Amino acid sequence: MTHQMMARSIAVIPPFIQAPTLILSAPPAAQEANAFMNQFNFDLNNHYHSSMRRLMVDVHTRHGGALADANPISAARYRGMAAGLERVALLVLNDSILYHACGELSDELERLHEEMMAEPNAEQGEV
């Protein structure tokens, strides 16, 4: 049964078709995450690349949700997860493409955090 389900999912949704499909059907936060991930040269035939890409989209989306919910503790945890993925790419997988992509993800999450933290200060200055 498991083999049939796996064969069916692979036959129905090949990796190169999966990423663009996610962008069209996902909620806005996931669309942003997918758009961000599409700039990197993921080899979606490589199991590590496709798995890491999925994890990165999830971390990016959940971080955005935590920021939208004004939950800085959860947002910080997701930034930590992004840093962890970067270390795994470098030290465990020894994959420079994944390392670069995860580093960019960490930088992007930090930028989003700083942007969110700066917004209340900008609004107070305008009042």
Side-chain angles (χ1 to χ4, degrees), residues 36-37 39-40 42 56 60 82-83 86 96-112:
F36 177 77
M37 294 304 146
Q39 69 181 315
F40 303 107
F42 289 101
M56 292 170 69
H60 190 287
E86 185 177 10
S96 61
I97 293 171
L98 289 180
Y99 174 69
H100 174 69
C102 291
E104 291 293 321
L105 173 65
S106 291
D107 293 346
E108 175 70 3
L109 297 187
E110 284 297 325
R111 184 192 66 75
L112 290 170

Side-chain angles (χ1 to χ4, degrees), residues 42-95:
F42 289 101
D43 175 6
L44 297 180
N45 290 320
N46 179 329
H47 172 72
Y48 295 121
H49 281 226
S50 60
S51 295
M52 184 69 84
R53 184 184 191 287
R54 237 178 280 121
L55 286 170
M56 292 170 69
V57 167
D58 188 50
V59 167
H60 190 287
T61 302
R62 290 174 186 261
H63 178 264
L67 290 178
D69 293 341
N71 188 341
I73 294 171
S74 288
R77 286 183 182 137
Y78 292 118
R79 287 192 307 278
M81 288 179 194
L85 292 176
E86 185 177 10
R87 288 190 295 273
V88 167
L90 177 66
L91 301 173
V92 176
L93 300 176
N94 195 24
D95 190 316

